[in-house]
Amino acid sequence: MKIVFIGTPDFSVPSLKKMIEKFDVRAVITQPDRASGRGNKITISPIKEIGLLYKIPIYQPEKIRKDFEIINKLREIEPDFIIVVAYGQILPKEILNISKYGCINLHASLLPKYRGSSPINWVLINGEKETGSSTIIMDTGIDTGDILLKKRVAISESMSAGELYNILKENGAELLQETIDGVVTGNVCRVNQDTEGSSYVPLLSKQMAKINWNDSSININNLIRGLSSWPYKNMNSWPTAHTNYKENIIKIYKARALDVTTTKPPGYVIDTSNEGITVATNEGILNIEVLQLPGGKPLEVKAFLKGNIIEKGIILI
C-alpha cells in the first residue's frame, strides 16, 4: 500500500509511525516551520521530525489549497491512501480525489458528535462518560464524511484532557491500520453520518478558561479536567482553567468535586491542607489538588503549600 501522510502535531505521531511500520509511506505533508517560544526560535512539527528520521520526502505548503505543485506531486505518487490526522488546513477537492481508496481522516470523537478542532477537551468539559475515535472518508465538509470504523473509550471521573489525548492518539493509530486493512479487503463499509445527532465544538479560548465560582463544583471540575494536560507537559497550546487570588492568577490543573453542602459564598476558601484547598461553589465544594502561581510550575498542593500561602476566608474571583 502506497501511503501519503498528512498531519502536524504530536497527536499525529503514533499514526505516522504505524503507517511506516505497516505500509509504504511515500511522502509526508505537514505545516511550515514556525517561530515560537522565547526568542521566536524556528521549530519544526513533530510530524516533520519523524519524516526526517525515516528519510521520507517532506512537503510543507503554506496554503495547500493553492499549491498546484503539491497536487501534481501527489498525482505522480499515485497513492492508494491519503491519511490525514490533525493537519490544520482544509484539503481541496483535487486532493480528496487523487488516491485509489480515498482520503481517510482520523478524528478524536465518536462522530457525528463533537466535530471540529478540540473534541478531546469538550467531551470532558461537557461531562461525557464515553468518547473514542472515528475514521471517515473525507469530503469537502468539516468532519462530515462517511464513517468507516469507530473505537470507544470510557471516561473516568478524574481523567484529564492530557490523559485522554494520550489514550486516543495511540488507539487512533491502531484504528487507522484496521481501517486500511478493512477497506482493502472489503470488510469495512461506509456509513453516512446522521446529521440529526451531529454537533460542532467551538474553539477553545482564554476567556472560557476563567472559573465561574457561581457554577456547580461538578461543572467547574469538568472545565478544569477539559483544559488540563496534567500529568503531561506537552500540550501547552491549551488554555488552563484559572482564578484570581488577590493580585495573582492561579492556574488549576487538577481538582475534585465534593458532594458536600456549605453556607459559604461561591469562591470562599474554606480550608487549606496537604489534601487540598477547599473552595465553596454555588453547588458543592471544590477540592484543588494541583495548581500554579505566575512564574512557578504546576505543583501538587502539599508541595505548593510548603512555599506559598493561600489564606482561608479569601474570596477567589
Side-chain angles (χ1 to χ4, degrees):
M1 289 288 108
K2 289 188 292 183
I3 302 289
V4 170
F5 190 91
I6 304 179
T8 300
D10 168 78
F11 185 86
S12 313
V13 168
S15 294
L16 175 54
K17 287 183 175 179
K18 180 63 69 174
M19 296 300 99
I20 293 170
E21 176 189 348
K22 298 295 183 180
F23 307 108
D24 179 13
V25 179
R26 294 292 182 92
V28 165
I29 297 176
T30 189
Q31 294 276 36
D33 301 344
R34 305 289 189 197
S36 65
R38 294 178 180 177
N40 284 330
K41 182 181 178 182
I42 299 297
T43 58
I44 66 175
S45 74
I47 284 302
K48 183 175 180 178
E49 290 181 6
I50 300 300
L52 291 172
L53 179 64
Y54 287 91
K55 298 180 172 58
I56 300 169
I58 299 167
Y59 303 93
Q60 298 177 269
E62 192 69 42
K63 293 183 179 179
I64 197 169
R65 296 174 67 87
K66 299 180 179 180
D67 197 318
F68 297 106
E69 283 189 28
I70 291 290
I71 294 171
N72 289 331
K73 183 63 183 178
L74 292 178
R75 288 181 177 139
E76 289 176 16
I77 293 172
E78 296 183 330
D80 294 295
F81 289 92
I82 295 176
I83 303 298
V84 183
V85 184
Y87 174 46
Q89 294 189 42
I90 296 175
L91 301 186
K93 191 174 182 180
E94 291 86 349
I95 290 180
L96 297 180
N97 294 332
I98 285 175
S99 56
K100 179 179 179 180
Y101 294 101
C103 282
I104 293 181
N105 174 237
L106 171 68
H107 185 73
S109 82
L110 297 175
L111 291 170
K113 288 187 174 181
Y114 294 97
R115 295 170 176 168
S117 63
S118 49
I120 292 174
N121 308 90
W122 282 103
V123 293
L124 294 172
I125 293 169
N126 291 340
E128 300 281 6
K129 304 300 182 185
E130 181 186 58
T131 187
S133 300
S134 305
T135 49
I136 63 173
I137 292 287
M138 295 178 68
D139 59 20
T140 54
I142 298 176
D143 303 325
T144 57
D146 291 348
I147 296 172
L148 296 170
L149 288 177
K150 295 183 183 182
K151 181 173 285 190
R152 298 178 182 274
V153 171
I155 300 174
S156 69
E157 291 185 1
S158 62
M159 185 179 287
S160 71
E163 291 172 302
L164 183 56
Y165 176 101
N166 280 280
I167 291 170
L168 291 180
K169 75 177 184 181
E170 298 294 340
N171 284 2
E174 299 291 338
L175 188 64
L176 273 173
Q177 182 192 337
E178 293 172 24
T179 300
I180 291 172
D181 292 340
V183 168
V184 172
T185 60
N187 293 326
V188 171
C189 299
R190 298 166 60 152
V191 178
N192 289 334
Q193 290 197 40
D194 179 8
T195 54
E196 282 191 17
S198 67
S199 62
Y200 282 92
V201 296
L203 294 173
L204 301 177
S205 67
K206 290 183 179 180
Q207 291 75 21
M208 63 165 286
K210 179 71 182 293
I211 293 173
N212 176 12
W213 295 104
N214 286 300
D215 206 342
S216 70
S217 59
I218 291 175
N219 288 344
I220 293 171
N221 187 44
N222 287 340
L223 176 69
I224 292 167
R225 295 193 302 133
L227 298 177
S228 174
S229 59
W230 185 264
Y232 304 97
K233 300 177 182 178
N234 59 342
M235 288 141 246
N236 295 327
S237 61
W238 298 340
T240 305
H242 61 271
T243 189
N244 289 85
Y245 171 73
K246 295 184 177 181
E247 302 299 322
N248 291 317
I249 294 176
I250 293 180
K251 293 182 178 181
I252 302 176
Y253 289 84
K254 185 179 180 182
R256 184 163 47 97
L258 306 179
D259 187 16
V260 180
T261 59
T262 179
T263 58
K264 301 298 184 183
Y268 185 96
V269 177
I270 299 170
D271 195 14
T272 62
S273 71
N274 288 339
E275 282 67 51
I277 298 167
T278 51
V279 183
T281 73
N282 193 48
E283 185 180 333
I285 292 173
L286 188 78
N287 190 62
I288 300 171
E289 299 177 351
V290 178
L291 65 165
Q292 177 185 18
L293 279 173
K297 59 182 181 179
L299 295 172
E300 294 184 6
V301 68
K302 182 177 181 180
F304 179 89
L305 291 175
K306 286 181 179 179
N308 303 281
I309 297 173
I310 300 293
E311 295 179 18
K312 300 177 187 178
I314 288 286
I315 302 283
L316 303 180
I317 59 173

